[in-house]
Amino acid sequence: MQVVSAASTTAPTRVSVPELVGLSRAAASLRLGRGRILSRRSGDYQSPFRGRGMEFDESRLYQPGDDVRNIDWRVTARTGKAHTKLFREERERPVFVWLDLRRPMHFATRGRYKSALAAQLGALVAWSALHNGDRVGGVIFSEQEHHELKPQRGKAAVLRLLNRIVHNPSWTASPSSAADTHSLEHALERLRRVARPGSLIFLISDFRFMDTQAEIPLTRLCQHNEVAMLFVHDRLEQELPPPGRYRLGDGARDFLVDSSDNRLSKQYRQRFQARLQRLQQLSTANRMLLIPCRTEAEPLSLLRGGLKPGRSIYNRLAAGA
């Protein structure tokens, strides 16, 4: 059963620029980057790239072509063999927000629409990146529009991203019966073209229609970047409500759901679990972080729980977080 209904009347169904701007202060407590914080200035994360930088990394045996200025004379004298110093450069890190605003995201039965939660999560990520001196970019996509934003520095880059989110036409688009089953693949390909190696990428979506074709560009992205999947879903997508008959609608059609059928309820739960398990397998195979995000949860709490300060995504995975 595919659920495409509207949320309850008390649930927020969209976001505004002032609302997303107001998340800036809360985002200051989040840490998104790899490695330890070195200072409160631009480029304050350690880069995984080695070269002549600010911080000594290690010594190794001298190889032909190494810069003689970097010879480690102490280790050379102690071992009797020439050693050279390697350094770890400090560089700004591009942080990408890949945000899904397709039609199935404009749905919830509790809390807020999946699209509204996704927008808030994306805003928190962007503000946190700004506070930590990183560049902010993104891909915002729906059935109506795709926008690719190259990483830039400063508050203007965050505001540009937030405006693209808020003014995407999907918020006011009429219901469509035809689902775009290829949009995830296309959006991931677009992201792969703008995300350079070493980027930190947050994929925020319900990952509906995530098939093997869409997994190809995702796997390629993970080869040279750190990637976190924020799986946004509503409780009704996870399990049917208590036994009874429920009328749902998407603004164009109505659906009558009978949850008193135990067999149907079991199959419904199993299908969601299979979907979640597939995402877990995909994240493990590609060393991604997977954070389930239910619509009634607070976005800041979700990120705080999934992103522990001072530890990189790769380290969290190694620790089994």
Side-chain angles (χ1 to χ4, degrees):
M1 181 184 70
Q2 181 180 359
V3 180
V4 284
S5 74
S8 65
T9 57
T10 59
T13 59
R14 60 178 305 166
V15 293
S16 66
V17 172
E19 176 189 351
L20 299 184
V21 169
L23 295 173
S24 173
R25 180 174 297 182
S29 63
L30 295 174
R31 292 291 179 267
L32 307 179
R34 173 199 289 262
R36 62 185 179 89
I37 302 299
L38 299 178
S39 64
R40 301 302 304 167
R41 66 178 187 275
S42 178
D44 57 6
Y45 289 125
Q46 286 183 308
S47 166
F49 305 108
R50 288 174 175 168
R52 292 197 65 202
M54 299 294 294
E55 182 118 340
F56 172 74
D57 187 46
E58 66 177 359
S59 293
R60 62 159 169 77
L61 286 171
Y62 177 86
Q63 297 176 2
D66 286 347
D67 192 335
V68 295
R69 294 174 296 177
N70 292 334
I71 290 180
D72 191 330
W73 295 108
R74 290 186 179 181
V75 177
T76 299
R78 187 173 66 249
T79 63
K81 297 181 179 180
H83 280 69
T84 188
K85 294 179 180 179
L86 296 179
F87 298 85
R88 190 175 295 274
E89 293 183 88
E90 295 178 72
R91 299 183 180 178
E92 293 173 319
R93 179 165 222 187
V95 176
F96 281 89
V97 174
W98 182 86
L99 187 64
D100 181 358
L101 291 177
R102 294 173 301 160
R103 184 64 191 170
M105 290 289 289
H106 298 277
F107 160 80
T109 60
R110 295 171 177 84
R112 56 184 64 78
Y113 269 18
K114 292 189 291 183
S115 53
L117 176 60
Q120 292 167 347
L121 290 168
L124 286 168
V125 167
W127 284 121
S128 178
L130 174 68
H131 294 322
N132 292 314
D134 290 319
R135 290 176 290 148
V136 178
V139 173
I140 314 300
F141 68 99
S142 64
E143 291 89 350
Q144 292 77 28
E145 288 185 357
H146 278 242
H147 289 288
E148 302 165 22
L149 306 176
K150 293 184 178 180
Q152 293 184 358
R153 303 177 184 88
K155 185 177 180 180
V158 178
L159 294 177
R160 178 186 58 160
L161 177 73
L162 301 187
N163 272 287
R164 288 296 189 188
I165 293 173
V166 171
H167 296 109
N168 190 286
S170 66
W171 297 101
T172 55
S174 58
S176 173
S177 57
D180 184 359
T181 59
H182 302 291
S183 58
L184 271 188
E185 178 188 354
H186 295 161
L188 287 167
E189 282 287 1
R190 287 170 178 253
L191 175 62
R192 198 168 68 87
R193 288 198 294 265
V194 297
R196 296 194 173 186
S199 298
L200 178 58
I201 300 172
F202 287 83
L203 309 177
I204 310 175
S205 173
D206 61 2
F207 300 103
R208 190 175 292 272
F209 307 121
M210 175 62 101
D211 56 17
T212 54
Q213 286 300 112
E215 292 174 9
I216 294 174
L218 177 57
T219 299
R220 292 173 179 170
L221 274 169
C222 294
Q223 291 173 352
H224 304 289
N225 302 283
E226 285 187 276
V227 182
M229 301 177 73
L230 277 55
F231 173 39
V232 183
H233 65 281
D234 182 74
R235 186 181 298 184
L236 184 60
E237 295 174 307
Q238 185 173 353
E239 60 181 351
L240 290 175
R245 304 182 74 184
Y246 300 87
R247 185 176 298 278
L248 306 175
D250 63 0
R253 296 171 298 170
D254 288 335
F255 304 87
L256 189 63
V257 178
D258 186 355
S259 61
S260 59
D261 187 333
N262 292 331
R263 184 178 58 85
L264 175 63
S265 296
K266 182 179 180 181
Q267 290 176 345
Y268 193 85
R269 286 193 302 271
Q270 289 175 339
R271 187 164 65 178
F272 178 85
Q273 288 301 319
R275 181 178 164 200
L276 177 59
Q277 185 177 17
R278 180 60 192 137
L279 291 178
Q280 290 171 335
Q281 292 171 345
L282 187 62
S283 63
T284 301
N286 293 284
R287 297 175 62 83
M288 292 184 290
L289 178 68
L290 177 64
I291 306 178
C293 302
R294 212 152 67 176
T295 53
E296 67 261 40
E298 287 301 315
L300 183 60
S301 298
L302 289 168
L303 288 176
R304 278 179 174 168
L307 302 170
K308 298 178 182 178
R311 303 176 66 195
S312 75
I313 287 178
Y314 285 174
N315 289 339
R316 279 194 296 275
L317 287 171

